Amino acid sequence: MGKLYVKFDEDGNLLDFHGSPILLDAQIPQEEDVLQLLEVYRPKVRELEEDTVGHTKVFLEGSRKVCRHQECNLGNLITDAMVYARILEDFGGAYWTDAAIAFMQGGSIRSSIEKRSDGSVLAIDVASVLPFKNDLYVSQITGRSLLAVLEHSASMYETESKGGFLQMSGIHTTYDYNNPVGSRVIATEVLCANCDVPTFEPLEEDRLYNVIVPSYLANGGDGYTFVEENGPKPQRMQLKDAAALSQYLKRHEFVYPVVEDRITIIKKTSDNANGNL
């Protein structure tokens, strides 16, 4: 307890702090109303701690320093789970799905999941990773708008504290930071939806694509546009993001998501490296 004063810059970086802490030890009686409130929530927390929803063979990387700046395997798992949830809704007709692409902003991934000795993933792990319980939406956008989304995500790579850098499923893209803002996406392939065998194809700017996004992004969070002007209204899916991840874990005996070059980053070459002094 006590007072703590902190100072941040406009990007959220800590600049200074000071305060006057008050030591609490066993001589200080606990607040009875707080103890009673804790008892209200304790059974639900215990339930989450005891509910095994799946198993992983690998560490699931969800840290801020990774998922907000580059591809991470937990981001791959989450977005794959979003695509899988749509497959189970069976809107693909004669094809395997109607939405083969999914995005999740790195800022929504709030923690990693450690690999336990038995590989178990608990419900409380999922709740810690995705605590906001965003609805999921399928939105139809043009390839041109999809390219703009990727360019915006590329611009988030160099920000220290913002979480707008996107994790993705159904896309292979390359960002070249030797190019100016707005021209950094140099290659993009997308997974086909209306096809008999899912394969990656070059992005076509005039083509329409169904993409799955959380409500935060659908509503313009982090400056993204996932709804076309005069386009169809996004369709809400049956499951929220955390429920989709839990469903995926339950239906797969073990998961082992890899970092597989969904996002390739070409870092900016310094003047010195080019021989310019």
Side-chain angles (χ1 to χ4, degrees):
M1 290 186 62
K3 295 182 179 180
L4 177 64
Y5 300 91
V6 293
K7 182 179 180 181
F8 298 93
D9 64 18
E10 60 182 10
D11 292 323
N13 299 307
L14 180 64
L15 299 178
D16 185 30
F17 68 93
H18 64 277
S20 302
I22 300 174
L23 177 64
L24 294 181
D25 56 23
Q27 297 180 355
I28 306 298
Q30 299 184 49
E31 292 288 342
E32 188 62 32
D33 56 342
V34 174
L35 292 175
Q36 292 177 2
L37 183 61
L38 287 174
E39 289 304 316
V40 173
Y41 293 103
R42 197 180 305 278
K44 180 60 178 178
V45 173
R46 187 176 297 114
E47 178 183 331
L48 293 174
E49 291 175 336
E50 296 174 352
D51 182 14
T52 299
V53 296
H55 294 81
T56 179
K57 285 287 189 180
V58 298
F59 171 69
L60 300 176
E61 174 65 79
S63 69
R64 178 191 187 102
K65 67 179 181 180
V66 176
C67 294
R68 296 189 181 204
H69 299 280
Q70 64 192 64
E71 178 185 347
C72 62
N73 74 335
L74 184 51
N76 289 351
L77 178 65
I78 291 169
T79 51
D80 284 352
M82 293 161 64
V83 172
Y84 184 72
R86 184 61 175 181
I87 292 172
L88 295 184
E89 291 184 359
D90 198 21
F91 281 90
Y95 300 107
W96 69 283
T97 188
D98 67 331
I101 299 168
F103 292 106
M104 175 63 72
Q105 69 277 15
S108 274
I109 303 173
R110 308 303 283 189
S111 68
S112 300
I113 298 179
E114 297 290 338
K115 181 180 177 295
R116 297 182 175 88
S117 59
D118 63 352
S120 60
V121 178
L122 306 178
I124 198 167
D125 296 325
V126 174
S128 297
V129 169
L130 296 171
F132 304 119
K133 296 182 179 179
N134 273 279
D135 286 321
L136 296 177
Y137 285 86
V138 177
S139 185
Q140 187 176 81
I141 61 175
T142 65
R144 187 173 295 103
S145 294
L146 183 52
L147 180 60
V149 163
L150 294 172
E151 285 286 0
H152 189 59
S153 178
S155 73
M156 295 288 182
Y157 171 75
E158 295 173 315
T159 61
E160 288 299 323
S161 60
K162 295 179 181 178
F165 187 86
L166 295 178
Q167 301 296 318
M168 58 195 69
S169 180
I171 289 185
H172 291 158
T173 190
T174 300
Y175 302 152
D176 188 346
Y177 287 91
N178 293 289
N179 296 338
V181 174
S183 301
R184 289 171 169 171
V185 179
I186 62 171
T188 301
E189 292 184 331
V190 296
L191 191 62
C192 64
N194 297 330
C195 51
D196 293 324
V197 179
T199 55
F200 282 91
E201 305 171 341
L203 173 70
E204 298 179 30
E205 292 192 15
D206 294 327
R207 187 173 177 177
L208 292 173
Y209 296 93
N210 286 341
V211 299
I212 306 167
V213 294
S215 55
Y216 176 78
L217 292 178
N219 292 328
D222 285 324
Y224 285 100
T225 300
F226 278 101
V227 181
E228 295 285 355
E229 186 176 356
N230 300 320
K233 183 179 179 181
Q235 179 184 10
R236 185 165 62 88
M237 292 174 54
Q238 296 172 7
L239 297 182
K240 297 179 184 293
D241 53 8
L245 178 56
S246 293
Q247 173 182 254
Y248 188 90
L249 289 165
K250 289 176 180 178
R251 288 175 175 260
H252 294 76
E253 186 173 0
F254 279 94
V255 297
Y256 42 91
V258 301
V259 175
E260 53 190 10
D261 295 329
R262 297 183 185 189
I263 306 170
T264 299
I265 293 175
I266 301 175
K267 294 184 178 181
K268 188 173 184 179
T269 304
S270 66
D271 289 340
N272 287 343
N274 288 329
N276 299 321
L277 300 178

